[in-house]
Amino acid sequence: MAWMLIRGGHVFDPEDRGVADVLILDGRILAVGPALPAPSGIGEGTVHDARDRIVLPGLIDGHIHVMGASGLGGAATRSTDLQIDRITSAGVTTVISPLGADSLSRTIPALLARAAALDAEGITALCYTGGWWHPVPTLTGNPQTDVTFVERIVGVKVAVSEPLAPAYSLDDLCRLAHAAYTGGRLAGKPAVLHAHIGDHPAGLGPLQAVQQQTGIPPDRLVATHVNRNPDLWNQAIRYARAGGSIDLTAMQRPETKHPMAIQPAKAIREALAAGVTPGRITLSSDSGAAYPRLDPAGREVGQYMAGPDCLLEVMRELVRDGLAWGQAAAFTTSHVADLLGLRRKGRLTAGADADLLLLTPAAVVDRVYSRGRLMVEGGTPIVRGPFDGHAAA
């Protein structure tokens, strides 16, 4: 058995544990505490100095397109697979990926295959079944069967109040909500209906109607992209105060063609000030899609595929505004883990997977561990996918 001792960092669990050590054995956390002794009699190990480092749980990106997304601007905007080094270099060690707007040429079997590849490369990759079509795309032909019998699937994705997606009747949406909720109960996992909310004025109305019609706990009905415009954001605050789950999108800002978007750090501060329970708020990137590249004058001069770096940008802003690192990190760690029942994720506690993010005092990524494996060292990814363009010809 191999052990590792990360010594002397400022540990956020995400609760503030002060200066402490993290002892790892075979990919799991064995203990967290001050001045832990190096183990003896259980094989060889290593000690890593983490003095002056901020130690956080590895980030969980709850809405990221790992095999690319979009295509709504034509074939040239159809992004490609998001490589593992783009993910880990942003401090992310767990991803949950839905299909994007293109639910025709991209399929649930292909999404599951891409997630399995990332898992084999070293991170934890989960998926949503469903997507932007009617009926929703699935693996088995039945979204409840997908949720119940496919371990990697943690819910059903659907597009609501989205002019580019088919409209669903209330009965249809109720069936999808039951597919997620009941399928999750049958599988012993707290699955969710993960609802993309578009710019149609109906906003969260259809999701609220589902909750009223079915009685499904509102936290099982997750509304994502809710900071895309002020009217929707005001609805979202009321929805979360009533017990619903809201997911803010870090990539939604004016320079990404969301001119009405509320900056996610500002939205989080507003929600907390309005009395929203912090655990009802999560933050995801929506990366892996094509976004406009702008010149210094703000003119669109091309496009690029975003990675999840935006999550750390939001966390840094929250810390500058007065939140502790643990509070800022919780929106992409413990809150997501609690929402989806990821019992070994999102916290630095005994028995958890050894997913760790170490930041420098300037809040720059230093080291990233996933299930105890060093993925990033000195800010440089040391584990890359086999087809990411860095391999020798």
Side-chain angles (χ1 to χ4, degrees):
M1 293 187 290
W3 59 265
M4 183 188 312
L5 186 59
I6 310 238
R7 191 177 288 286
H10 190 157
V11 175
F12 293 88
D13 175 21
E15 298 295 326
D16 189 345
R17 303 302 182 194
V19 175
D21 303 338
V22 182
L23 179 60
I24 297 167
L25 180 65
D26 282 349
R28 296 276 191 92
I29 295 174
L30 189 63
V32 178
L36 294 177
S40 59
I42 57 171
E44 296 183 354
T46 55
V47 177
H48 296 274
D49 185 1
R51 284 176 296 176
D52 299 322
R53 294 297 183 258
I54 300 159
V55 182
L56 303 171
L59 306 186
I60 305 171
D61 194 338
H63 187 114
I64 178 173
H65 298 284
V66 297
M67 66 170 183
S70 192
L72 289 173
T77 66
R78 191 177 186 276
S79 54
T80 59
D81 285 350
L82 190 59
Q83 297 297 320
I84 192 169
D85 60 297
R86 293 285 307 281
I87 297 170
T88 57
S89 62
V92 175
T93 55
T94 300
V95 294
I96 301 100
S97 182
L99 291 180
D102 178 4
S103 296
L104 299 177
S105 68
R106 302 182 194 271
T107 66
I108 296 300
L111 178 60
L112 287 165
R114 179 62 191 142
L118 287 170
D119 214 296
E121 290 168 9
I123 65 173
T124 300
L126 306 169
C127 302
Y128 294 109
T129 193
W132 284 33
W133 195 237
H134 190 327
V136 292
T138 66
L139 177 69
T140 65
N142 182 333
Q144 186 175 103
T145 304
D146 284 11
V147 172
T148 303
F149 294 110
V150 182
E151 184 178 2
R152 200 180 296 276
I153 291 177
V154 295
V156 179
K157 192 260 181 87
V158 67
V160 173
S161 298
E162 173 51 67
L164 292 171
Y168 281 79
S169 70
L170 177 57
D171 284 348
D172 288 335
L173 283 175
C174 288
R175 290 189 188 96
L176 291 177
H178 276 295
Y181 182 60
T182 308
R185 294 288 294 268
L186 290 170
K189 58 188 178 186
V192 298
L193 181 70
H194 184 80
H196 161 112
I197 309 296
D199 280 315
H200 189 280
L204 284 171
L207 207 60
Q208 292 169 312
V210 168
Q211 201 281 319
Q212 293 167 1
Q213 179 84 1
T214 63
I216 290 172
D219 68 303
R220 298 296 91 198
L221 307 176
V222 181
T224 190
H225 311 322
V226 292
N227 56 310
R228 69 188 307 147
N229 67 62
D231 289 341
L232 178 59
W233 177 235
N234 289 330
Q235 281 187 315
I237 289 178
R238 295 193 296 271
Y239 182 68
R241 288 180 65 177
S245 294
I246 57 172
D247 182 55
L248 285 78
T249 301
M251 281 301 297
Q252 284 184 169
R253 45 185 186 257
E255 60 269 28
T256 61
K257 288 190 171 179
H258 292 91
M260 302 298 291
I262 294 88
Q263 295 283 7
K266 179 176 183 288
I268 287 172
R269 295 194 304 273
E270 288 181 356
L272 296 176
V276 174
T277 301
R280 297 276 64 81
I281 308 168
T282 58
L283 174 72
S284 62
S285 72
D286 197 27
S287 60
Y291 286 90
R293 188 184 301 279
L294 307 179
D295 67 12
R299 295 183 295 261
E300 187 172 337
V301 294
Q303 59 185 352
Y304 72 103
M305 184 173 68
D309 318 71
C310 50
L311 298 178
L312 265 174
E313 293 174 12
V314 175
M315 290 165 55
R316 293 184 190 108
E317 184 175 345
L318 289 170
V319 170
R320 287 196 297 269
D321 289 341
L323 268 66
W325 270 108
Q327 293 173 301
F331 300 106
T332 53
T333 56
S334 58
H335 294 180
V336 192
D338 291 345
L339 176 69
L340 298 176
L342 308 179
R343 297 176 182 86
R344 299 206 305 265
K345 302 294 182 181
R347 288 182 172 83
L348 300 179
T349 56
D353 286 344
D355 298 342
L356 290 85
L357 164 61
L358 275 64
L359 302 176
T360 69
V364 175
V365 174
D366 177 23
R367 276 180 271 163
V368 178
Y369 299 86
S370 180
R371 303 195 297 257
R373 181 183 181 189
L374 184 62
M375 309 294 286
V376 176
E377 186 172 25
T380 300
I382 60 173
V383 175
R384 299 183 182 275
F387 310 112
D388 68 352
H390 292 275

